[in-house]
């Protein structure tokens, strides 16, 4: 998209969630390495990182299925009022 098109359509120039949480380069690198047959170890640090937890929450929140109760009878709305710090604690201890 040219800069002229971006100025005419500012809504189409939204930042993606992975870019917002500064994970796009990490995911691109992991994908490229996997395409070369590389195997990975010690990914739990990335998986449980604060930015990845926030990204997962935002991604799930946008899904239609997030309004369907899970086995614990909760939906994404149950987490909506929780602060980011408490959301992270919820993840780490549940």
């Amino acid at each position: 998209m040219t800069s002229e098109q971006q100025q005419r359509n500012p809504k189409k120039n939204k930042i993606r969630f992975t870019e917002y949480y500064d994970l796009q380069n990490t995911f691109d690198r992991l994908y490229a390495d996997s395409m070369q047959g590389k195997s990975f170890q010690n990914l739990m640090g990335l998986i449980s990182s604060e930015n990845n937890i926030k990204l997962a929450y935002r991604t799930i929140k946008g899904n239609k299925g997030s309004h369907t109760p899970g086995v614990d009878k909760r939906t994404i709305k149950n987490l909506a009022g929780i602060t980011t710090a408490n959301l992270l604690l919820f993840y780490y201890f549940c």
Side-chain angles (χ1 to χ4, degrees), residues 2-3 9-12 15 24 26 28 30 34 37-38 50 60 63-64 68-69 74 76 78-79 82 90-93:
T2 67
S3 60
N9 298 317
K11 287 187 177 184
K12 291 187 179 183
I15 191 167
Q24 188 63 52
T26 301
D28 287 345
L30 286 170
S34 73
K38 183 176 179 182
E50 181 175 340
I60 292 167
N63 293 341
K64 288 191 282 184
T68 304
R74 292 192 245 182
I76 198 74
N78 294 97
L79 299 176
I82 297 176
F90 179 79
Y91 167 77
Y92 291 130
F93 294 108

Side-chain angles (χ1 to χ4, degrees), residues 15-25 27 55 59:
I15 191 167
R16 296 183 303 180
F17 294 151
T18 54
E19 293 167 338
Y20 181 81
Y21 292 111
D22 198 26
L23 291 169
Q24 188 63 52
N25 289 335
F27 292 159
L55 173 62
T59 303

Side-chain angles (χ1 to χ4, degrees), residues 15-80:
I15 191 167
R16 296 183 303 180
F17 294 151
T18 54
E19 293 167 338
Y20 181 81
Y21 292 111
D22 198 26
L23 291 169
Q24 188 63 52
N25 289 335
T26 301
F27 292 159
D28 287 345
R29 187 179 81 273
L30 286 170
Y31 177 76
D33 287 349
S34 73
M35 294 305 290
Q36 294 176 1
K38 183 176 179 182
S39 61
F40 301 97
Q41 297 177 9
N42 303 320
L43 290 176
M44 281 308 294
L46 172 63
I47 293 167
S48 61
S49 71
E50 181 175 340
N51 281 347
N52 196 50
I53 302 299
K54 290 177 184 178
L55 173 62
Y57 173 77
R58 271 186 102 161
T59 303
I60 292 167
K61 187 173 131 180
N63 293 341
K64 288 191 282 184
S66 67
H67 303 290
T68 304
V71 295
D72 60 358
K73 308 291 188 237
R74 292 192 245 182
T75 67
I76 198 74
K77 287 183 181 182
N78 294 97
L79 299 176

